[in-house]
Every structure is written in C-alpha cells, then in structure tokens.
Coordinates of all heavy atoms in Angstrom, one line a residue:
M28 N -32.7 -29.2 -30.3 CA -31.7 -29.4 -29.3 C -30.9 -28.2 -29.0 O -30.4 -27.6 -30.1 CB -30.9 -30.5 -29.4 CG -31.6 -31.8 -28.9 SD -30.6 -33.3 -29.4 CE -29.1 -33.0 -28.4
N29 N -30.6 -27.7 -27.9 CA -29.8 -26.6 -27.7 C -28.2 -27.1 -27.5 O -28.0 -27.9 -26.7 CB -30.1 -25.9 -26.3 CG -31.4 -25.0 -26.5 OD1 -31.7 -24.7 -27.6 ND2 -32.1 -24.8 -25.4
K30 N -27.5 -26.3 -28.3 CA -26.0 -26.7 -28.2 C -25.4 -25.8 -27.1 O -25.7 -24.6 -27.1 CB -25.4 -26.4 -29.5 CG -25.1 -27.6 -30.4 CD -24.4 -27.2 -31.7 CE -23.0 -27.8 -31.7 NZ -22.4 -27.5 -33.1
P31 N -24.7 -26.3 -26.3 CA -24.0 -25.5 -25.2 C -23.1 -24.4 -25.8 O -22.4 -24.7 -26.9 CB -23.3 -26.4 -24.3 CG -23.2 -27.7 -25.1 CD -24.4 -27.8 -26.1
A32 N -23.1 -23.3 -25.3 CA -22.1 -22.2 -25.8 C -20.8 -22.7 -25.5 O -20.4 -23.1 -24.4 CB -22.5 -20.9 -25.1
I33 N -19.8 -22.3 -26.4 CA -18.4 -22.5 -26.2 C -17.8 -21.2 -25.7 O -18.0 -20.1 -26.2 CB -17.7 -22.9 -27.4 CG1 -18.4 -24.2 -27.9 CG2 -16.2 -23.3 -27.1 CD1 -18.3 -25.4 -27.2
V34 N -17.1 -21.2 -24.5 CA -16.5 -20.0 -23.9 C -15.1 -20.3 -23.7 O -14.6 -21.4 -23.7 CB -17.2 -19.6 -22.5 CG1 -18.7 -19.2 -22.8 CG2 -17.1 -20.8 -21.5
N35 N -14.4 -19.2 -23.6 CA -13.0 -19.3 -23.2 C -12.7 -18.9 -21.8 O -13.1 -18.0 -21.3 CB -12.1 -18.2 -24.0 CG -11.8 -18.7 -25.5 OD1 -12.8 -19.4 -26.1 ND2 -10.7 -18.4 -26.0
C36 N -11.9 -19.8 -21.1 CA -11.5 -19.5 -19.7 C -10.7 -18.3 -19.7 O -9.7 -18.0 -20.4 CB -10.7 -20.7 -19.2 SG -10.0 -20.4 -17.6
P37 N -11.1 -17.3 -18.9 CA -10.3 -16.0 -18.7 C -8.8 -16.2 -18.3 O -8.1 -15.3 -18.6 CB -11.1 -15.2 -17.7 CG -12.5 -15.9 -17.6 CD -12.3 -17.3 -17.9
T38 N -8.6 -17.3 -17.6 CA -7.3 -17.4 -17.1 C -6.3 -18.1 -18.0 O -5.3 -17.6 -18.2 CB -7.4 -18.3 -15.7 OG1 -8.2 -17.5 -14.8 CG2 -6.0 -18.5 -15.1
C39 N -6.8 -19.3 -18.5 CA -5.8 -20.1 -19.4 C -6.3 -20.1 -20.9 O -5.6 -20.7 -21.7 CB -5.7 -21.4 -18.8 SG -7.2 -22.4 -19.0
D40 N -7.4 -19.4 -21.2 CA -7.8 -19.3 -22.5 C -8.3 -20.7 -23.2 O -8.4 -20.9 -24.3 CB -6.9 -18.8 -23.5 CG -7.3 -17.7 -24.4 OD1 -8.5 -17.2 -24.1 OD2 -6.9 -17.7 -25.5
T41 N -8.6 -21.7 -22.3 CA -8.9 -23.0 -22.8 C -10.5 -22.9 -23.2 O -11.3 -22.2 -22.5 CB -8.9 -24.1 -21.7 OG1 -7.5 -24.2 -21.4 CG2 -9.5 -25.4 -22.1
K42 N -10.9 -23.4 -24.3 CA -12.3 -23.5 -24.7 C -13.0 -24.5 -24.0 O -12.5 -25.7 -24.0 CB -12.4 -23.6 -26.3 CG -11.9 -22.4 -27.0 CD -12.2 -22.6 -28.6 CE -12.0 -21.3 -29.3 NZ -10.7 -20.7 -29.3
F43 N -14.2 -24.2 -23.5 CA -15.0 -25.3 -22.9 C -16.4 -25.0 -23.1 O -16.8 -23.8 -23.4 CB -14.6 -25.6 -21.5 CG -14.9 -24.4 -20.5 CD1 -16.1 -24.3 -19.8 CD2 -14.0 -23.4 -20.5 CE1 -16.3 -23.3 -19.0 CE2 -14.3 -22.4 -19.6 CZ -15.5 -22.3 -18.9
E44 N -17.3 -26.0 -22.9 CA -18.7 -25.9 -23.0 C -19.2 -25.3 -21.8 O -18.9 -25.7 -20.7 CB -19.4 -27.2 -23.4 CG -18.9 -27.7 -24.7 CD -19.7 -29.0 -25.1 OE1 -20.3 -29.6 -24.2 OE2 -19.7 -29.4 -26.3
W45 N -20.2 -24.3 -21.9 CA -20.8 -23.6 -20.8 C -22.0 -24.6 -20.3 O -23.2 -24.5 -20.7 CB -21.5 -22.3 -21.3 CG -22.0 -21.6 -20.1 CD1 -23.2 -21.6 -19.6 CD2 -21.3 -20.5 -19.4 NE1 -23.4 -20.8 -18.6 CE2 -22.1 -20.0 -18.3 CE3 -20.1 -20.0 -19.5 CZ2 -21.9 -18.9 -17.6 CZ3 -19.7 -19.0 -18.6 CH2 -20.6 -18.5 -17.6
T46 N -21.6 -25.6 -19.5 CA -22.7 -26.7 -19.1 C -22.3 -26.9 -17.6 O -21.4 -26.4 -17.0 CB -22.5 -28.0 -19.9 OG1 -21.2 -28.5 -19.5 CG2 -22.5 -27.8 -21.4
E47 N -23.3 -27.9 -17.1 CA -23.2 -28.1 -15.7 C -21.9 -29.0 -15.4 O -21.5 -29.0 -14.2 CB -24.3 -29.0 -15.3 CG -25.6 -28.3 -15.3 CD -25.7 -27.1 -14.4 OE1 -25.2 -27.2 -13.2 OE2 -26.2 -26.0 -14.8
A48 N -21.2 -29.4 -16.5 CA -19.9 -30.1 -16.2 C -18.8 -29.3 -15.8 O -17.8 -29.8 -15.4 CB -19.6 -30.9 -17.6
F49 N -19.0 -27.9 -15.9 CA -18.0 -27.0 -15.5 C -18.6 -26.1 -14.4 O -19.0 -24.9 -14.8 CB -17.5 -26.2 -16.7 CG -16.8 -27.1 -17.6 CD1 -17.5 -27.7 -18.7 CD2 -15.4 -27.5 -17.5 CE1 -16.8 -28.4 -19.7 CE2 -14.8 -28.3 -18.4 CZ -15.5 -28.8 -19.6
P50 N -18.6 -26.6 -13.2 CA -19.2 -25.6 -12.1 C -18.4 -24.5 -11.9 O -19.0 -23.5 -11.1 CB -19.3 -26.6 -10.9 CG -18.2 -27.7 -11.1 CD -18.1 -27.7 -12.6
F51 N -17.3 -24.2 -12.3 CA -16.4 -23.1 -12.0 C -16.5 -22.0 -13.1 O -15.6 -21.1 -13.1 CB -15.0 -23.6 -11.7 CG -14.8 -24.5 -10.5 CD1 -14.5 -25.8 -10.8 CD2 -15.2 -24.1 -9.2 CE1 -14.5 -26.8 -9.8 CE2 -15.0 -25.1 -8.2 CZ -14.8 -26.4 -8.5
R52 N -17.3 -22.2 -14.1 CA -17.4 -21.3 -15.2 C -17.8 -19.8 -14.6 O -18.4 -19.7 -13.6 CB -18.4 -21.7 -16.2 CG -19.9 -21.9 -15.6 CD -20.7 -22.5 -16.6 NE -22.1 -22.7 -16.2 CZ -22.6 -23.6 -15.4 NH1 -21.8 -24.5 -14.9 NH2 -23.9 -23.6 -15.2
P53 N -17.2 -18.7 -15.1 CA -16.6 -18.8 -16.5 C -15.2 -19.3 -16.5 O -14.4 -19.3 -17.5 CB -16.5 -17.3 -16.8 CG -16.4 -16.6 -15.6 CD -17.2 -17.5 -14.6
F54 N -14.7 -20.0 -15.5 CA -13.3 -20.6 -15.5 C -13.5 -22.1 -15.6 O -14.5 -22.6 -15.4 CB -12.7 -20.4 -14.1 CG -12.5 -18.9 -13.8 CD1 -13.5 -18.3 -12.9 CD2 -11.6 -18.2 -14.3 CE1 -13.5 -17.0 -12.6 CE2 -11.5 -16.7 -13.9 CZ -12.4 -16.2 -13.1
C55 N -12.5 -22.7 -16.3 CA -12.7 -24.0 -16.8 C -12.5 -24.9 -15.5 O -13.0 -26.1 -15.5 CB -11.6 -24.4 -17.8 SG -9.8 -24.3 -17.4
T56 N -11.6 -24.5 -14.5 CA -11.4 -25.2 -13.3 C -11.3 -24.4 -12.1 O -11.2 -23.2 -12.3 CB -10.0 -26.1 -13.5 OG1 -9.0 -25.1 -13.6 CG2 -10.1 -27.0 -14.7
D57 N -11.4 -25.1 -11.1 CA -11.2 -24.4 -9.7 C -9.9 -23.7 -9.6 O -9.7 -22.6 -9.1 CB -11.4 -25.4 -8.5 CG -11.3 -24.7 -7.2 OD1 -12.0 -23.5 -7.1 OD2 -10.8 -25.2 -6.3
R58 N -8.9 -24.3 -10.2 CA -7.5 -23.8 -10.2 C -7.4 -22.5 -10.9 O -6.9 -21.4 -10.5 CB -6.5 -24.7 -10.9 CG -5.2 -24.8 -10.2 CD -4.4 -25.8 -10.8 NE -3.8 -25.4 -12.1 CZ -2.5 -25.6 -12.4 NH1 -1.7 -26.2 -11.5 NH2 -2.0 -25.2 -13.6
C59 N -8.2 -22.4 -12.1 CA -8.1 -21.1 -12.8 C -8.9 -20.0 -12.1 O -8.5 -18.9 -12.1 CB -8.7 -21.4 -14.2 SG -7.6 -22.2 -15.4
K60 N -10.0 -20.5 -11.5 CA -10.7 -19.5 -10.6 C -9.8 -18.9 -9.5 O -9.8 -17.7 -9.3 CB -12.0 -20.2 -10.1 CG -12.8 -19.2 -9.3 CD -14.0 -20.1 -8.7 CE -14.9 -19.2 -7.8 NZ -15.9 -20.0 -7.3
Q61 N -9.1 -19.8 -8.8 CA -8.2 -19.3 -7.7 C -7.1 -18.3 -8.2 O -6.8 -17.4 -7.7 CB -7.6 -20.5 -7.1 CG -8.6 -21.4 -6.3 CD -9.3 -20.7 -5.3 OE1 -8.9 -19.7 -4.6 NE2 -10.6 -20.9 -5.0
I62 N -6.6 -18.7 -9.4 CA -5.5 -17.9 -10.0 C -6.0 -16.5 -10.3 O -5.4 -15.5 -10.0 CB -4.9 -18.7 -11.2 CG1 -4.1 -19.9 -11.0 CG2 -4.1 -17.6 -12.1 CD1 -3.7 -20.7 -12.2
D63 N -7.1 -16.4 -10.9 CA -7.7 -15.2 -11.2 C -8.0 -14.4 -10.0 O -7.7 -13.1 -9.9 CB -9.0 -15.4 -12.0 CG -9.4 -14.1 -12.6 OD1 -8.9 -13.6 -13.6 OD2 -10.5 -13.4 -12.0
F64 N -8.5 -14.9 -9.0 CA -8.8 -14.2 -7.8 C -7.5 -13.7 -7.1 O -7.4 -12.7 -6.6 CB -9.5 -15.2 -6.8 CG -10.0 -14.4 -5.5 CD1 -11.1 -13.6 -5.5 CD2 -9.4 -14.7 -4.3 CE1 -11.4 -12.9 -4.4 CE2 -9.6 -14.1 -3.2 CZ -10.7 -13.2 -3.1
G65 N -6.5 -14.5 -7.1 CA -5.2 -14.2 -6.6 C -4.6 -13.0 -7.2 O -4.1 -12.1 -6.6
D66 N -4.7 -12.9 -8.6 CA -4.2 -11.7 -9.3 C -4.8 -10.5 -8.8 O -4.3 -9.4 -8.5 CB -4.3 -11.9 -10.7 CG -3.4 -12.9 -11.4 OD1 -2.5 -13.3 -10.6 OD2 -3.5 -13.2 -12.5
W67 N -6.2 -10.7 -8.7 CA -7.0 -9.4 -8.3 C -6.7 -9.0 -6.9 O -6.5 -7.8 -6.7 CB -8.6 -9.9 -8.4 CG -9.5 -8.8 -7.9 CD1 -9.9 -7.8 -8.6 CD2 -10.0 -8.7 -6.6 NE1 -10.8 -7.0 -7.9 CE2 -10.9 -7.6 -6.7 CE3 -10.0 -9.4 -5.4 CZ2 -11.6 -7.2 -5.5 CZ3 -10.7 -9.0 -4.4 CH2 -11.5 -7.9 -4.4
A68 N -6.4 -10.0 -6.0 CA -6.1 -9.6 -4.5 C -4.8 -9.0 -4.5 O -4.5 -8.0 -3.8 CB -6.2 -10.9 -3.6
T69 N -3.8 -9.5 -5.3 CA -2.5 -8.9 -5.2 C -2.5 -7.4 -5.7 O -1.9 -6.6 -5.2 CB -1.6 -9.7 -6.2 OG1 -1.6 -11.1 -5.7 CG2 -0.1 -9.3 -6.1
E70 N -3.3 -7.2 -6.7 CA -3.4 -5.8 -7.3 C -3.8 -4.8 -6.2 O -3.4 -3.8 -6.0 CB -4.3 -5.9 -8.4 CG -3.9 -4.8 -9.5 CD -4.8 -5.0 -10.7 OE1 -4.6 -6.2 -11.3 OE2 -5.4 -4.2 -11.2
R71 N -4.9 -5.4 -5.5 CA -5.6 -4.6 -4.6 C -4.6 -4.2 -3.4 O -4.5 -3.1 -2.9 CB -6.7 -5.4 -4.0 CG -8.0 -4.7 -3.8 CD -9.1 -5.6 -3.4 NE -9.5 -5.3 -2.0 CZ -10.4 -4.6 -1.6 NH1 -11.2 -4.1 -2.4 NH2 -10.6 -4.5 -0.2
F72 N -3.7 -5.2 -3.0 CA -2.9 -4.9 -1.9 C -1.8 -3.9 -2.3 O -1.3 -3.2 -1.5 CB -2.3 -6.3 -1.4 CG -3.2 -7.0 -0.4 CD1 -3.6 -8.3 -0.8 CD2 -3.5 -6.4 0.7 CE1 -4.5 -8.9 0.2 CE2 -4.6 -7.0 1.6 CZ -4.9 -8.3 1.3
S73 N -1.3 -4.0 -3.5 CA -0.3 -3.1 -3.9 C -0.7 -1.8 -4.0 O 0.0 -0.8 -3.8 CB 0.3 -3.6 -5.4 OG -0.7 -3.5 -6.4
I74 N -2.0 -1.4 -4.3 CA -2.4 -0.2 -4.3 C -2.6 0.4 -2.9 O -2.5 1.6 -2.6 CB -3.9 -0.2 -5.0 CG1 -3.8 -0.4 -6.5 CG2 -4.6 1.2 -4.8 CD1 -5.0 -0.7 -7.2
A75 N -2.9 -0.4 -2.0 CA -3.2 0.0 -0.6 C -1.8 0.3 0.1 O -1.9 1.2 1.0 CB -3.9 -1.2 0.1
G76 N -0.8 -0.3 -0.3 CA 0.5 0.0 0.3 C 1.0 1.4 0.1 O 1.5 1.8 -1.0
E77 N 1.1 2.3 1.2 CA 1.7 3.5 1.1 C 2.9 3.7 2.0 O 2.9 3.1 3.1 CB 0.6 4.5 1.4 CG -0.2 5.0 0.3 CD -0.9 6.2 0.5 OE1 -0.5 7.2 1.3 OE2 -2.1 6.3 0.0
P78 N 3.9 4.3 1.5 CA 5.1 4.5 2.5 C 4.8 5.3 3.7 O 4.1 6.4 3.6 CB 6.1 5.1 1.6 CG 5.4 5.8 0.5 CD 4.2 5.0 0.3
C79 N 5.3 4.9 4.9 CA 5.0 5.6 6.1 C 6.2 6.6 6.2 O 7.2 6.6 5.7 CB 5.1 4.6 7.2 SG 3.9 3.3 7.2
L80 N 5.9 7.5 7.0 CA 6.9 8.5 7.4 C 8.0 7.8 8.2 O 7.7 7.1 9.1 CB 6.3 9.7 8.2 CG 5.7 10.8 7.4 CD1 5.0 11.7 8.4 CD2 6.6 11.5 6.4
D81 N 9.3 8.1 7.9 CA 10.3 7.5 8.6 C 10.7 8.3 9.9 O 11.2 9.5 9.7 CB 11.6 7.3 7.7 CG 12.7 6.5 8.4 OD1 12.6 6.3 9.6 OD2 13.6 6.2 7.7
P82 N 10.5 7.9 11.0 CA 10.7 8.8 12.2 C 12.1 9.3 12.4 O 12.5 10.3 12.8 CB 10.3 7.8 13.4 CG 9.5 6.8 12.9 CD 10.0 6.5 11.4
S83 N 13.0 8.5 11.8 CA 14.5 8.8 12.0 C 14.9 10.0 11.1 O 15.9 10.7 11.3 CB 15.4 7.6 11.6 OG 15.2 7.3 10.3
K84 N 13.9 10.2 10.1 CA 14.3 11.4 9.2 C 13.8 12.7 9.8 O 14.1 13.8 9.2 CB 13.6 11.1 7.8 CG 14.2 9.9 7.1 CD 15.4 10.4 6.2 CE 16.1 9.2 5.6 NZ 15.2 8.6 4.6
L85 N 12.9 12.6 10.9 CA 12.4 13.9 11.4 C 13.4 14.6 12.3 O 14.2 13.9 13.0 CB 11.1 13.6 12.2 CG 9.9 12.9 11.5 CD1 8.8 12.5 12.4 CD2 9.3 13.9 10.4
G86 N 13.4 16.0 12.2 CA 14.3 16.6 13.1 C 15.6 16.9 12.5 O 16.5 17.3 13.1
E87 N 15.9 16.5 11.2 CA 17.2 16.6 10.7 C 17.5 18.0 10.3 O 18.6 18.4 10.0 CB 17.3 15.7 9.4 CG 17.6 14.3 9.8 CD 17.8 13.4 8.6 OE1 17.7 13.9 7.3 OE2 18.1 12.3 8.7
E88 N 16.5 18.9 10.2 CA 16.8 20.2 9.9 C 17.4 21.2 11.0 O 17.7 22.2 10.8 CB 15.5 20.9 9.3 CG 15.0 20.2 8.1 CD 13.6 20.7 7.7 OE1 13.0 21.4 8.5 OE2 13.1 20.3 6.6
E89 N 17.4 20.6 12.2 CA 18.0 21.4 13.2 C 19.4 21.7 13.2 O 20.1 20.9 12.8 CB 17.6 20.6 14.5 CG 16.2 20.6 14.9 CD 15.9 19.8 16.2 OE1 16.7 19.9 17.1 OE2 15.0 19.1 16.3
Ligands
ZN20 ZN1 -8.7 -22.2 -17.3

C-alpha cells in the first residue's frame, strides 16, 4: 500500500496528505491558494508602478 506524501502548505505551513482530499494542493485550502496568489499579484503591481513626470514642475528653470 502506498502511503500518501505529507506536504506543508506554502501559505500557512499546515501539514496535510497529498491526496484527492485536497484539490487545492500544494495548498491545504482554497483560501491559502488565494492568499498566495494575492501576494504574488501585489508584488507584480508594485514593480510596475513608476512615478510620472509632474507637468507642474516643467518650465521652472525659466
Ligand atoms: Zn494552508
């Protein structure tokens, strides 16, 4: 008989069995999956944000 592997959820570090009982693996629950994806998306957006030139600052050298 094969024993299911025990894995740790990357989000909450809960140990659970790698079986059909956990369809959201490698996360223990759908919630943990959403949390991890949210972190990833937030990081992406923060990198994308660059300050724009402020039009009111142009022409001040005159
Ligand atoms: Zn979890």
Side-chain angles (χ1 to χ4, degrees):
M28 275 176 62
N29 286 336
K30 262 179 111 176
I33 306 294
V34 295
N35 279 37
C36 171
T38 302
C39 69
D40 220 29
T41 295
K42 288 185 170 63
F43 66 94
E44 295 182 346
W45 189 276
T46 67
E47 295 298 316
F49 296 92
F51 303 107
R52 58 193 188 276
F54 305 97
C55 65
T56 60
D57 183 40
R58 213 172 82 134
C59 283
K60 186 181 172 182
Q61 295 299 326
I62 289 170
D63 189 75
F64 183 77
D66 285 349
W67 177 83
T69 304
E70 210 169 305
R71 230 174 103 101
F72 279 121
S73 69
I74 290 167
E77 274 191 33
C79 301
L80 283 174
D81 187 350
S83 69
K84 295 271 172 69
L85 298 175
E87 277 186 356
E88 293 171 355
E89 290 178 36

